[in-house]
């Protein structure tokens, strides 16, 4: 009997989600036994053309990592949507925008100017900028166009499931494979992770204490048994979906929110701001001013993985 077909694709991401699949180690052989892998750019030499000529819905399962940042990513998202029965937003970038969506605090022209012109290590005397089309002796070369705004996969095409994490942990990857093999995938639209928050799954002692000062992790030696947030280290556990195994908190590092918002929370950053406000003991204008100085890079801290998916989505493009 023919094996089900599996595609893995990367759009705007770092490659870590693909490495997480490789981190399944010998279980990768079980995945290869179960599926016929028909696309996996990081590991195998299939061409986009091979996908274009496939019949619609001929891919049984597609794990799509990375956010949508360029015309190439959008074209592949639409193509893989058409060819796949089950399309999974795989990893924080595909689910919520992830680290690439921090670019939404800027725009394309500002990014290109900074990267190609303003960086002190650049040597670009001719002020060459990337072009979409370039004429050379052999003809015209074309590059994908970079968008102003980074989007999640589901903001471009319908998606059946979400597997969060930066990257998704190996246990979760194997759970998805097992659920698929057992024909026990959850209802369409589900996030394959916990329905609780990280705080619900954290076994550190919580004392309902107010905080007088916030610290960056390197500025304080914390008690490894007690809640990091109550010790003044910003930990996004209250605003983050559980299911990761508390990887960061177990090694005394605060949660940064890579599993996205828990069920019922629309905007992860706003939820985290509200958690910080409720735990801070000061309320005079001077104390609030002091606290704002202690919370370094609030946008990058509270929206580190979820800017594209937030209510803000991006910085305003045109000033009124
Ligand atoms: S979710 Fe994390 S590991 Fe995966 S591609 Fe994005 S940045 Fe990389
Ligand atoms: S804020 Fe962080 S350290 Fe505190 S209970 Fe929640 S996850 Fe644990
Ligand atoms: S503790 Fe938070 S940042 Fe770390 S893996 Fe879990 S969800 Fe992601």
């Amino acid at each position: 009997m023919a094996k089900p077909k599996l595609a893995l694709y990367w759009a705007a991401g770092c490659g870590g989600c693909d490495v997480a699949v490789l981190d399944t180690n010998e279980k990768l052989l079980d995945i290869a036994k179960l599926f016929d892998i028909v696309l996996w750019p990081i590991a195998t030499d299939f061409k986009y053309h091979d996908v274009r000529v496939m019949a619609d819905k001929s891919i049984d399962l597609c794990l799509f990592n990375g956010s949508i940042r360029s015309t190439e990513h959008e074209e592949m998202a639409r193509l893989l949507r058409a060819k796949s029965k089950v399309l999974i937003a795989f990893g924080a970038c595909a689910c919520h925008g992830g680290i690439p969506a921090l670019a939404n605090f800027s725009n394309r022209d500002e990014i290109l100017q900074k990267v190609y012109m303003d960086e002190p290590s650049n040597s670009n005397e001719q002020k060459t900028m990337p072009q979409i089309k370039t004429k050379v002796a052999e003809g015209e070369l074309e590059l994908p166009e970079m968008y102003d705004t980074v989007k999640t996969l589901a903001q471009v095409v319908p998606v059946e499931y979400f597997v969060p994490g930066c990257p998704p942990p190996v246990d979760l990857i194997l759970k998805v494979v097992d659920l698929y093999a057992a024909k026990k995938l959850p209802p369409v639209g589900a996030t394959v992770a916990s329905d609780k928050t990280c705080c619900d799954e954290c076994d550190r002692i919580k004392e309902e204490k107010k905080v007088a000062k916030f610290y960056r992790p390197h500025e304080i030696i914390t008690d490894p048994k007690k809640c990091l947030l109550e010790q003044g280290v910003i930990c996004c556990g209250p605003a983050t979906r559980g299911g990761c195994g508390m990887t960061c908190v177990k090694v005394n590092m605060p949660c940064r929110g890579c599993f996205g918002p828990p069920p019922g929370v629309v905007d992860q950053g706003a939820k985290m701001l509200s958690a910080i406000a409720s735990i801070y003991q000061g309320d005079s204008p001077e104390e609030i001013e002091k606290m704002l100085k202690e919370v370094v890079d609030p946008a990058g801290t509270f929206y580190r993985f979820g800017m594209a998916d937030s209510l803000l989505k991006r910085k305003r493009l045109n000033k009124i």
Side-chain angles (χ1 to χ4, degrees), residues 139-204:
E140 193 168 61
L141 301 176
E142 190 169 349
L143 284 174
E145 182 180 355
M146 179 171 142
Y147 293 148
D148 259 323
T149 302
V150 176
K151 291 184 179 171
T152 70
L153 180 60
Q155 285 168 344
V156 175
V157 292
V159 166
E160 271 80 23
Y161 302 107
F162 300 85
V163 178
C166 181
V170 166
D171 288 355
L172 209 53
I173 298 171
L174 294 174
K175 181 175 173 186
V176 172
V177 172
D178 287 347
L179 287 172
Y180 181 87
K183 298 191 184 354
K184 286 188 177 163
L185 282 170
V188 166
T191 295
V192 185
S194 168
D195 283 342
K196 295 180 175 173
T197 66
C198 278
C199 284
D200 293 332
E201 297 184 349
C202 178
D203 54 13
R204 286 183 178 240

Side-chain angles (χ1 to χ4, degrees), residues 101-228:
L102 287 172
N104 289 359
F105 285 113
S106 188
N107 65 36
R108 174 181 47 202
D109 291 346
E110 287 166 357
I111 292 167
L112 292 179
Q113 176 70 28
K114 171 95 176 144
V115 172
Y116 289 91
M117 300 290 173
D118 298 344
E119 281 302 316
S121 59
N122 277 356
S123 171
N124 185 5
E125 282 165 20
Q126 294 181 326
K127 303 201 180 305
T128 305
M129 290 289 244
Q131 303 296 311
I132 297 169
K133 292 189 175 171
T134 307
K135 284 204 167 59
V136 292
E138 293 80 9
E140 193 168 61
L141 301 176
E142 190 169 349
L143 284 174
E145 182 180 355
M146 179 171 142
Y147 293 148
D148 259 323
T149 302
V150 176
K151 291 184 179 171
T152 70
L153 180 60
Q155 285 168 344
V156 175
V157 292
V159 166
E160 271 80 23
Y161 302 107
F162 300 85
V163 178
C166 181
V170 166
D171 288 355
L172 209 53
I173 298 171
L174 294 174
K175 181 175 173 186
V176 172
V177 172
D178 287 347
L179 287 172
Y180 181 87
K183 298 191 184 354
K184 286 188 177 163
L185 282 170
V188 166
T191 295
V192 185
S194 168
D195 283 342
K196 295 180 175 173
T197 66
C198 278
C199 284
D200 293 332
E201 297 184 349
C202 178
D203 54 13
R204 286 183 178 240
I205 300 161
K206 292 148 223 161
E207 299 170 305
E208 308 291 325
K209 269 174 61 181
K210 292 278 184 182
V211 171
K213 177 171 165 51
F214 287 104
Y215 302 89
R216 301 181 82 186
H218 65 277
E219 292 172 336
I220 181 175
I221 295 176
T222 51
D223 183 332
K225 294 205 170 75
K226 294 187 175 173
C227 170
L228 288 162

Side-chain angles (χ1 to χ4, degrees), residues 18-84:
D18 284 298
V19 174
V21 177
L22 294 174
D23 280 346
T24 56
N25 297 331
E26 72 282 357
K27 296 274 172 54
L28 189 57
L29 299 175
D30 297 337
I31 297 173
K33 243 187 238 164
L34 180 64
F35 291 100
D36 188 8
I37 298 175
V38 294
L39 176 75
W40 194 4
I42 202 172
T44 54
D45 187 24
F46 295 104
K47 308 295 183 202
Y48 290 173
H49 176 75
D50 299 326
V51 183
R52 287 192 190 103
V53 297
M54 289 177 190
D56 281 358
K57 304 291 175 210
S58 59
I59 297 172
D60 294 278
L61 183 65
C62 176
L63 304 181
F64 190 109
N65 78 73
S67 47
I68 307 300
R69 207 304 156 248
S70 72
T71 46
E72 181 185 16
H73 303 147
E74 180 163 359
E75 183 190 337
M76 286 307 291
R78 293 189 187 284
L79 182 65
L80 286 165
R81 172 65 286 177
K83 304 294 178 186
S84 305

